[in-house]
Amino acid sequence: MRVGVPKEIKLQEYRVGLTPGAVREYVAAGHQVTVETGAGSGIGASDEVYRRAGASIAETAREIFARSEMIVKVKEPQKSEWAQLCEGQILFTYLHLAPHPEQAKGLIDSGCTAIAYETVTDASGHLPLLAPMSEVAGRLAIEAAGAALKRSAGGRGLLLGGVPGVQPARVVVLGGGVVGTQAARMAAGLGAEVTVIDRSIPRLRELDDLFAGRVRTRFSTIESVEDEVFAADVVIGAVLVPGASAPKLVTRAMLKSMRPGAVLVDVAIDQGGCFETSHPTTHAEPTYEVDGVVHYCVANMPGAVPVTSSQALNNATLPFGLMLANKGFAAVLENPHLRNGLNVHGGRITNKAVAESLGLEFAPVESGLAA
């Protein structure tokens, strides 16, 4: 198969769809890989490094989209990119369609087959292609919170871990999944007072065992969320409903009862955010203030550490990418986990959660769309 890797064009996105090591695997499996010039510059991989790995180099993204049977990216396609996709072409990347109807329409109109990293599953029902970036984002969330808490950044002027004789910051993590667990690990490691809120009692038990009492756990109710958020110095939004828009757990009205200079870090912003007052920001301008509360809502947090992120992402995506390259769309029909990743095919939305979030008809491949 002809596999193409365009350079990411989202603002301050330095990751790359295929690392040179991944390219070698595709080439060894008999596939042709074309990489746009400079695509690997963010991870320190020159065009020559890609050539040595077996890739050819294209001067423009237009060449990549025109020549390739499968496009491998990191972030969701931007308008200029989805306009170049064509019928039958496979797109393998993060999509996060639920809060982005314009992108969904663009993919539908293109006729392409779009497989989203964030909804591919494994035998345990987990999300193996989302997990590595969730791990990175969860850890970065605490770094971001620590920076935003500084008085010079508009925060309360607290050190996350405090010092002997001085109370540490109170960190509340909404969601005990991969992001929430990694955020709690980092915050507790720095000495912060940490509470994780989740709706799953079994997950709360696991977290209690994992942290051996160093992290408090609470079952998620309206009351418990309000109690913890109002007393918090930092709130990490780490709620995930696979494929769907994130629920809004912190409302605009709640901000007035929060501590002035408190920090909200919305890691769920790719799925619309779990704070009512969230809107996407960039690494260049990561924060803004609403009612005295600092919001950090960078939509591509792992892009700040592209070497780590690209390697971790490629480790996870490689087996699935090779399945697609080896068998084309037949791999989706044969593999239920790739089928769960299918979001758009034949001009229709093929993921139920995405369809419901967008208010569009759900058309699973089992209904005959695969023909």
Side-chain angles (χ1 to χ4, degrees), residues 111-162:
C112 78
T113 293
I115 298 164
Y117 293 159
E118 70 271 13
T119 60
V120 172
T121 56
D122 61 19
S124 301
H126 298 148
L127 304 172
L129 309 192
L130 183 63
M133 295 304 92
S134 295
E135 290 169 341
V136 172
R139 296 183 182 204
L140 285 176
I142 298 304
E143 292 186 14
L149 269 178
K150 294 176 181 177
R151 191 69 188 135
S152 58
R156 297 197 65 220
L158 293 176
L159 183 65
L160 274 171

Side-chain angles (χ1 to χ4, degrees), residues 336-359:
H337 307 303
L338 273 175
R339 195 157 59 247
N340 288 334
L342 186 67
N343 279 207
V344 180
H345 177 66
R348 307 291 286 278
I349 297 293
T350 55
N351 180 283
K352 186 175 182 180
V354 171
E356 290 176 349
S357 293
L358 293 170

